[in-house]
Amino acid sequence: MSCTEGDRKMDLIITGSSDEMSRKAAELFARRIRSNPAIVLGLATGGTPEKMYAELVRLHREEGLDFSRVTTYNLDEYLGIPETHDQSYRYFMNKNLFDHVNILSENTHVLNGMADDPVKECRDYEEAVKKAGGIDLQLLGIGSNGHIAFNEPGSSVQSRTGVVDLTENTIKDNARFFEKAEDVPQQALSMGNGSIMEAKEIILIADKESKADAIFKAVEGPVTEDVPASLLQKHPNCTFIIDSLAAGKLKNRRVL
Ligand code: GLP
């Protein structure tokens, strides 16, 4: 698959620091929440969004940013770890955002990694997103191998929410959050590339030099399933907010 002439690529905002990336992304989320208080957000985990969530908490506390009508759906969850596990994505979301803002817990959704029938869990999740009217604004991070959510290189452009295998690369990257690499689950439940592409607006954030290669391939490389983030070049309303280190390998640094 290659990007044909005339395709609109993602917008690009390059910030001077990781803090500024977090602030800019939080400001954009806050603007969207203010203009649509019943917004449906798609949320991400990982080290990258932590400071952005902290900024949203600050905006709630100091400027009254209201989450009372907001609904959220998270991208993914490890298979086989309970939500009480300190590395589950549900635990992360409670700790970094939900416990500190006035969101209703019944409006927050994270795939259940302990579901008896994970395939049904994923099907039901897709249905629930659809019933909610779809995702208005989706936050994404990016893996150092170009993955989005847990859609590893090679996952289909049309993939739907399902059970996925993690690559050695991702297990190695995420081992820093666990005691040892063997503790990292080898599978996860994840929204698919096709599901993510249905969001009305997408914001991808990335910082640090370790993401520079993936960002270069996603922004300036061909649109290919080998780099899931490159599929975003085809999304009609997608912005990358990245720091100058993550932008380090881009040849064309003007806003695309
Ligand atoms: C994980 C998550 C992704 C996230 C990526 C990057 O594998 N499933 O949603 O974007 O890692 O994480 P970090 O921000 O810690 O680099």
Side-chain angles (χ1 to χ4, degrees):
M1 225 190 320
S2 75
C3 196
T4 54
E5 215 177 16
D7 276 341
R8 186 184 184 280
K9 289 198 172 189
M10 59 280 281
D11 289 328
L12 194 58
I13 296 173
I14 301 175
T15 64
S17 68
S18 163
D19 284 350
E20 200 189 334
M21 172 202 79
S22 306
R23 240 184 348 259
K24 276 219 156 20
E27 270 162 23
L28 189 142
F29 269 70
R31 261 200 316 276
R32 298 291 186 268
I33 293 169
R34 287 192 180 108
S35 65
N36 177 10
I39 195 167
V40 179
L41 299 177
L43 295 179
T45 51
T48 316
E50 279 180 21
K51 280 181 289 175
M52 175 193 149
Y53 290 143
E55 177 63 8
L56 285 174
V57 171
R58 190 194 68 75
L59 289 169
H60 166 69
R61 287 192 179 143
E62 294 177 14
E63 296 180 24
L65 184 64
D66 181 16
F67 286 81
S68 63
R69 295 172 61 203
V70 172
T71 298
T72 66
Y73 287 90
N74 262 76
L75 283 169
D76 46 14
E77 179 59 283
Y78 289 116
L79 182 67
I81 63 174
E83 59 179 52
T84 48
H85 189 293
D86 66 1
Q87 290 311 323
S88 81
Y89 286 166
R90 162 56 78 178
Y91 188 96
F92 174 101
M93 289 310 303
N94 289 347
K95 186 175 92 175
N96 286 285
L97 183 66
F98 300 152
D99 285 351
H100 312 290
V101 296
N102 64 333
I103 196 162
L104 301 178
S105 64
E106 62 266 33
N107 288 349
T108 69
H109 305 89
V110 183
L111 284 149
N112 176 8
M114 295 299 282
D116 289 339
D117 183 345
V119 173
K120 179 173 181 305
E121 170 71 10
C122 293
R123 240 190 348 253
D124 292 349
Y125 201 74
E126 284 262 331
E127 270 313 302
V129 172
K130 213 177 282 166
K131 251 193 165 150
I135 306 286
D136 294 308
L137 176 60
Q138 175 68 57
L139 177 68
L140 295 176
I142 185 170
S144 64
N145 62 2
H147 76 225
I148 49 175
F150 268 133
N151 296 296
E152 298 284 28
S155 29
S156 157
V157 61
Q158 285 158 343
S159 60
R160 310 302 308 183
T161 306
V163 179
V164 294
D165 296 328
L166 306 187
T167 59
E168 280 307 313
N169 183 85
T170 296
I171 291 171
K172 203 173 99 237
D173 281 356
N174 289 358
R176 69 189 194 280
F177 297 115
F178 292 79
E179 260 176 46
K180 39 190 188 333
E182 300 85 77
D183 294 343
V184 184
Q186 311 224 328
Q187 288 187 302
L189 313 183
S190 177
M191 281 174 74
N193 289 323
S195 327
I196 292 169
M197 289 295 279
E198 284 170 8
K200 296 172 191 102
E201 179 175 11
I202 298 180
I203 301 297
L204 183 145
I205 56 174
D207 60 2
K208 302 199 177 77
E209 207 181 332
S210 57
K211 298 293 171 67
D213 194 47
I215 289 293
F216 168 68
K217 289 179 179 152
V219 176
E220 293 186 357
V223 176
T224 167
E225 290 167 346
D226 293 340
V227 183
S230 71
L231 303 172
L232 299 168
Q233 290 182 29
K234 297 275 190 186
H235 193 278
N237 189 8
C238 175
T239 305
F240 279 26
I241 304 179
I242 61 178
D243 77 350
S244 49
L245 294 175
K249 291 197 175 166
L250 294 180
K251 292 197 179 65
N252 182 356
R253 281 168 167 249
R254 75 181 169 78
V255 174
L256 295 170

